[in-house]
Each structure stands twice: as structure tokens, then as C-alpha cells.
């Protein structure tokens, strides 16, 4: 018997011709189906993409270009709507800050519309307008307490007991006490205390300039009933002072590591505060109760005290003292001249009971220059 091999008949079906743009799209889809995250896959993708662009016609290239332009526009639009970063670099701020009134290292407010400095009947309307603008961009969620505070601000400020009377803005339903424990902002307190020597060294370098002139550049003299009170601001009313920050670079970088530092609104400050012997600071109120003022003791001679709400406390070197400066407060240095000045590093932190959504809204409502 003779075996005859079977002959298989094979039909040659050629794929229909396709236009270059259709072939480009098909190749891309097939590749995406089989693509895996590997270097080989990435290399093949790039090679295929280059070849595809070579094969594609002008219409396909125009479509890709339009999609790229739309994507770039979307990224720009979304990025512009986000809240500002806490601390831009000093070099980036230098030109703009000087144009906005930085003189001798201190920011002077020249705007009658500034909510931090101006006291007028239309303040509540201005704040409510800012709140509406914020809610329109983001959300009304979590804004109940701020809305209540703005709506009844006049009553809150006028009816507060004399021991606590913030001058600009009172946020209702916050726990009130003259002093706060270190645990209220534990992370930032510990970070500041660990960097005590760094801040002290930069202060001592700055303070040497006092031997050459009465008020060196960057320092501000404050009004006091007796004695001398000097401040060196790194951040003043939410605005960095670039020239001063350049002279204290490590302290400035430290501010960016703090989790609760008020950085983007007019209630945020960071400075070195110096009281010479025999100085008394007149009793006064701070502008708001949404913050805690933190004093890190750098030099603390004897007979120096801070009195908040009638309660006296003493500073200690290398330790933080937290208090609510919307309470009536004063400070004095009655130590002997040979012990030198009392020096603290002062920074404003968020009150621990102000929620994250409220902080973002307050940054928007009280943005510098708004």
C-alpha cells in the first residue's frame, strides 16, 4: 500500500490596504494591549512611536498636537487653583518683596484695605466676600464655624470679656486658655528645641552688629513705655523678608520643616525678639485667637517674665513657651544690665483645634494684600 501525503490547501488572504493614519492608530492600540512595564517595553514603545509618527499623515499629527496643548493647559489651570506653597525660596521672593514695601528688612503696610491693619465698618463684608470666593472655588464643607464667626464678628469682639479680645478676627467655639502645654504642637516644639543651638548661633552673629550702630539693618525698634525692644523678622504678617532670611538661612529652612507654622496669611510671623534690661512692653491684645504664639528661649536672664491673662510665666533657654496672644498680655525684663538682653525666637503656630479645611480657607481669606 502506498501512502500519499495529504496536501493542505491554504488560502492566502491579504489584509486590505489601510491609510497611514489608520495604521498608526491600530499599531498603537495593539501595542498598548501587550505592553508591560519594563525597560524593553519602554524601548519598543519609543521605537514604535517614532516609526508611527513617520508613517502618520498631517491630520494625525495635528490631532496629537492639539491633545498635547489641551493637556498642558489643563495642568496649568489646575496648578493655578491650588493653595500656595508655604515657603518659596528667598531668591524668588527678593524682587517682589522689595517692590511691595520691604524697607530696612521690615514690611510696612501701605494699603488702607489691609484687613490686618485697617479697622473699618466694611471689614465683615470684605471677609464674607472672601469666604464666598473661596467656597465658590473649593467647597462650603467645613466652613460653618468660619461663616458663623464672620457673620457675628461684631458681637463677638464687642462682647468678649476684657481678658481676651482679639482685635481683628475671633473664631468661635475654640478652647480658650492663656497658656498651652507643649503637647499642643508637640512635633514643632521638639523640632525647635532640637535646633536651639542653630538659632542661637545665627542670632549671636546678627547681634554683633549692634556694637557698630544703634539700629543695624533688618532690625525694627518697637514702641515701649520704658527700655528697648528690638525685633528681627524673617516672616512678617505672612510675608517673608528675603534680606533677613538670607542672613539666617538655617533658621529660615527650619521654618519650612514646621508642620503647623502659619505661613500664608497675615496672622503668621516669625522673628527674633530682644528685650534690653529695664524694658516693659505695654499690655496689649493680639489680632486673633486662631494661632498659638511660640517663644523659644535663646537668652533668659533673671527677673524676666511673660504675663498672659494675669498669669505670669518665665522663659527658659532651649525651651518653648506656648500662649494665646489674643489674651491681654505683657512682658518685662527687670534683670541687671550685666546679664544682658532677654532673647526669644518667636513663631506663630496654628491653634490645634482649627481644622485643616479651616486653615486652608483662612489662608485664602486673610492672604497678604487681599
Amino acid at each position: 500500500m502506498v501512502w500519499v501525503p495529504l496536501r493542505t490547501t491554504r488560502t492566502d488572504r491579504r489584509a486590505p490596504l489601510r491609510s497611514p493614519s489608520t495604521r498608526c492608530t491600530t499599531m498603537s492600540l495593539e501595542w498598548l494591549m501587550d505592553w508591560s512595564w519594563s525597560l524593553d517595553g519602554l524601548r519598543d514603545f519609543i521605537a514604535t512611536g517614532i516609526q508611527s509618527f513617520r508613517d502618520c499623515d498631517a491630520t494625525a499629527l495635528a490631532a496629537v498636537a492639539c491633545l498635547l496643548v489641551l493637556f498642558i493647559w489643563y495642568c496649568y489651570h489646575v496648578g493655578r487653583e491650588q493653595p500656595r506653597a508655604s515657603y518659596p525660596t528667598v531668591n524668588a521672593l527678593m524682587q517682589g518683596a522689595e517692590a511691595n514695601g520691604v524697607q530696612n528688612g521690615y514690611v510696612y503696610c501701605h494699603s488702607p484695605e489691609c484687613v490686618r491693619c485697617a479697622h473699618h465698618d466694611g471689614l465683615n463684608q470684605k471677609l464674607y466676600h472672601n469666604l464666598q470666593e473661596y467656597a465658590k472655588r473649593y467647597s462650603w464643607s467645613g466652613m460653618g464655624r468660619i461663616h458663623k464667626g464672620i457673620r457675628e464678628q461684631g458681637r463677638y469682639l464687642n462682647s468678649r470679656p476684657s481678658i481676651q479680645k482679639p482685635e481683628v478676627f475671633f473664631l468661635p467655639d475654640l478652647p480658650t486658655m492663656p497658656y498651652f502645654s507643649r503637647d499642643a504642637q508637640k512635633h514643632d516644639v521638639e523640632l525647635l528645641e532640637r535646633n536651639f543651638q542653630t538659632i542661637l548661633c545665627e542670632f549671636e552673629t546678627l547681634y554683633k552688629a549692634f556694637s557698630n550702630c544703634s539700629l543695624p539693618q533688618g532690625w525694627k525698634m518697637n514702641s515701649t513705655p520704658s527700655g528697648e525692644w528690638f525685633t528681627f523678622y524673617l516672616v512678617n504678617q505672612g510675608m517673608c523678608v528675603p534680606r533677613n532670611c538670607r542672613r539666617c538661612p538655617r533658621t529660615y529652612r527650619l521654618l519650612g520643616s514646621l508642620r503647623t507654622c502659619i505661613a500664608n496669611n497675615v496672622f503668621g510671623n516669625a522673628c527674633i525678639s530682644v528685650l534690653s534690661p529695664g524694658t516693659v512692653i505695654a499690655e496689649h491684645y493680639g489680632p486673633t485667637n486662631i494661632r498659638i504664639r511660640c517663644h523659644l528661649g535663646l537668652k533668659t536672664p533673671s527677673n524676666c517674665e511673660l504675663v498672659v491673662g494675669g498669669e505670669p510665666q518665665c522663659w527658659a533657654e532651649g525651651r518653648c513657651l506656648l500662649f494665646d496672644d489674643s489674651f491681654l498680655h505683657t512682658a518685662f525684663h527687670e534683670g541687671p544690665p550685666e546679664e544682658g538682653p532677654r532673647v526669644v525666637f518667636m513663631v506663630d503656630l496654628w491653634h490645634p483645634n482649627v481644622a485643616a479645611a479651616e486653615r486652608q480657607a483662612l489662608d485664602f481669606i486673610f492672604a497678604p494684600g487681599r
Side-chain angles (χ1 to χ4, degrees):
M1 180 181 291
V2 178
W3 291 93
V4 179
L6 294 175
R7 183 174 297 173
T8 305
T9 302
R10 186 165 142 188
T11 304
D12 185 9
R13 295 182 181 175
R14 295 183 179 272
L17 293 175
R18 293 175 291 181
S19 67
S21 59
T22 306
R23 186 166 64 254
C24 173
T25 305
T26 305
M27 291 173 63
S28 299
L29 290 174
E30 290 176 352
W31 187 89
L32 287 172
M33 294 288 290
D34 300 329
W35 184 64
S36 61
W37 289 94
S38 67
L39 291 177
D40 290 338
L42 180 60
R43 182 192 61 197
D44 293 342
F45 173 70
I46 295 173
T48 304
I50 294 173
Q51 186 60 42
S52 298
F53 271 104
R54 289 176 178 172
D55 295 339
C56 288
D57 58 15
T59 305
L61 289 175
V64 172
C66 290
L67 289 174
L68 181 61
V69 170
L70 288 173
F71 176 72
I72 293 173
W73 175 85
Y74 174 77
C75 292
Y76 165 76
H77 182 72
V78 172
R80 187 182 61 174
E81 293 295 326
Q82 297 304 313
R84 296 168 298 161
S86 294
Y87 280 99
T89 61
V90 173
N91 290 334
L93 283 164
M94 193 67 181
Q95 183 175 359
E98 289 182 348
N100 283 306
V102 177
Q103 301 173 5
N104 194 30
Y106 181 72
V107 178
Y108 292 91
C109 177
H110 301 293
S111 173
E113 300 299 322
C114 174
V115 295
R116 172 65 180 86
C117 304
H119 299 274
H120 51 80
D121 295 335
L123 176 60
N124 288 358
Q125 289 183 344
K126 183 178 181 67
L127 297 182
Y128 190 70
H129 171 77
N130 291 347
L131 174 60
Q132 284 183 313
E133 186 178 347
Y134 172 84
K136 183 178 179 180
R137 291 191 183 190
Y138 301 102
S139 172
W140 278 103
S141 177
M143 297 299 104
R145 188 158 55 176
I146 295 177
H147 183 226
K148 177 183 176 183
I150 292 175
R151 188 179 65 246
E152 303 184 36
Q153 196 63 206
R155 179 174 68 83
Y156 285 132
L157 296 183
N158 293 329
S159 64
R160 294 297 303 167
S162 59
I163 195 173
Q164 185 194 25
K165 272 194 173 181
E167 295 180 339
V168 178
F169 180 72
F170 178 80
L171 186 64
D173 306 322
L174 283 182
T176 58
M177 59 193 78
Y179 294 96
F180 284 77
S181 70
R182 296 161 45 82
D183 291 337
Q185 298 295 5
K186 185 176 181 180
H187 173 272
D188 290 351
V189 166
E190 292 178 348
L191 184 61
L192 287 167
E193 292 179 351
R194 283 199 304 270
N195 288 273
F196 160 69
Q197 287 294 339
T198 296
I199 302 172
L200 177 61
C201 287
E202 292 195 329
F203 158 72
E204 289 175 339
T205 301
L206 290 172
Y207 199 64
K208 290 177 182 178
F210 274 90
S211 59
N212 299 324
C213 58
S214 57
L215 188 63
Q217 188 177 51
W219 289 87
K220 175 182 178 290
M221 180 178 287
N222 303 279
S223 176
T224 56
S226 62
E228 294 177 328
W229 174 23
F230 303 99
T231 46
F232 187 86
Y233 278 89
L234 303 183
V235 179
N236 181 54
Q237 294 187 18
M239 294 181 62
C240 292
V241 186
R243 187 171 298 167
N244 289 0
C245 293
R246 281 181 154 174
R247 297 172 66 184
C248 300
R250 291 179 293 176
T251 303
Y252 175 76
R253 284 195 296 270
L254 177 64
L255 290 177
S257 300
L258 300 177
R259 294 177 180 173
T260 61
C261 178
I262 298 179
N264 292 328
N265 70 56
V266 295
F267 301 127
N269 302 273
C271 72
I272 296 172
S273 174
V274 178
L275 294 185
S276 61
T279 300
V280 175
I281 298 176
E283 290 185 327
H284 62 286
Y285 301 98
T288 182
N289 66 328
I290 67 172
R291 73 186 186 190
I292 296 177
R293 181 148 282 186
C294 175
H295 281 183
L296 172 65
L298 301 181
K299 291 183 176 292
T300 57
S302 59
N303 295 323
C304 294
E305 278 190 345
L306 171 69
V307 182
V308 182
E311 299 181 23
Q313 291 279 352
C314 295
W315 296 277
E317 291 184 6
R319 302 282 287 181
C320 287
L321 184 61
L322 306 179
F323 65 99
D324 184 344
D325 74 323
S326 67
F327 281 79
L328 187 67
H329 62 284
T330 182
F332 57 86
H333 179 0
E334 295 180 344
E338 58 270 18
E339 291 190 14
R342 183 240 59 178
V343 185
V344 299
F345 179 63
M346 185 199 81
V347 59
D348 289 322
L349 309 176
W350 284 103
H351 190 293
N353 294 91
V354 178
E358 291 175 320
R359 295 178 186 182
Q360 180 174 307
L362 291 167
D363 278 345
F364 183 91
I365 294 168
F366 291 100
R370 179 172 290 279

